[in-house]
Amino acid sequence: MSITEPVGAWFHASGRDLPWRRPGFTAWGTLVSEFMLQQTPVARVIPRLEAWLERWPTPADLAAAPVADAVRAWDRLGYPRRALNLHAAAVAITERHGGVVPSDVAELLALPGVGDYTARAVAAFAYGHRHPVVDVNTRRVIARAVHGRGEPGPAHKRDLADMAALLPADPAAARLTNVAMMELGALVCTARNPRCDACPIAGRCAWRAAGRPAFAGVRAPVQKRFEGSDRQVRGLIMRELRASDLPVASAELAAVWADDAQRERALAGLLADGLAVGDAALGYTLPTG
Ligand code: SF4
């Protein structure tokens, strides 16, 4: 028996009831949730996702809204370029696809802000197509259970081939395998403290059978500390802009971060990304239009 059957059975018994896994969840909801989940934990995404879909239940609804509304509603999910991209994707879906989120991976990849993972996730989870969907949790489970390595290392093209080799032929079973492998990595086969005693494939895991040897390969890059980073300063500036309907003066921004050079660098990045507009004379706002 492959590892997919016990992982699927475990998921039925122990997987979380998350909004995007419920019957009837729309393809648009799946796309929005995947944008939000790209770099934000589940618990922070859920309330923001529900508010977002209540306000903009279809791509056309978001496309018709000012982009500043999308950035403001993104609130503190972080990496707000995703809000700009999601708005641009809604416009593209409305203009190019009649307001219907496409189901084809190539068409999804052509949307702003949609990368390989998101395109496959939408095609598989919203439309039931048989594609390997591989996130960091899936990669960790495969690295350990299949390859006997404690860590997956940096993302690699072979990750998709590894997952494709595990997928059952039936699309519904493949969809279950995709989501169940992710969930196992999120809840049981975690990065720091894998709970092998609670794992449905403990008896088939190559890494466990080898005595969980230390990882000697190349590690995936570690995200830099948030505290004191340009990312933190960008977040503080964005908070000021979101909170104001009027242009925010440079002097007001100076109050959010004392280091002039770092604050200017962060502001320049926001202007370059289109997340802020304005200048030192007129002040700064969220994007218009
Ligand atoms: S036995 Fe342990 S290391 Fe292997 S897949 Fe399960 S949780 Fe991960």
Side-chain angles (χ1 to χ4, degrees), residues 141 144-145 184 188-189 194-196 199-202 205 207-208 212:
V141 175
R144 290 173 176 168
L184 187 69
V188 176
C189 193
R195 296 188 296 117
C196 301
C199 179
I201 53 173
C205 175
W207 188 54
R208 185 166 186 258
R212 297 175 38 161

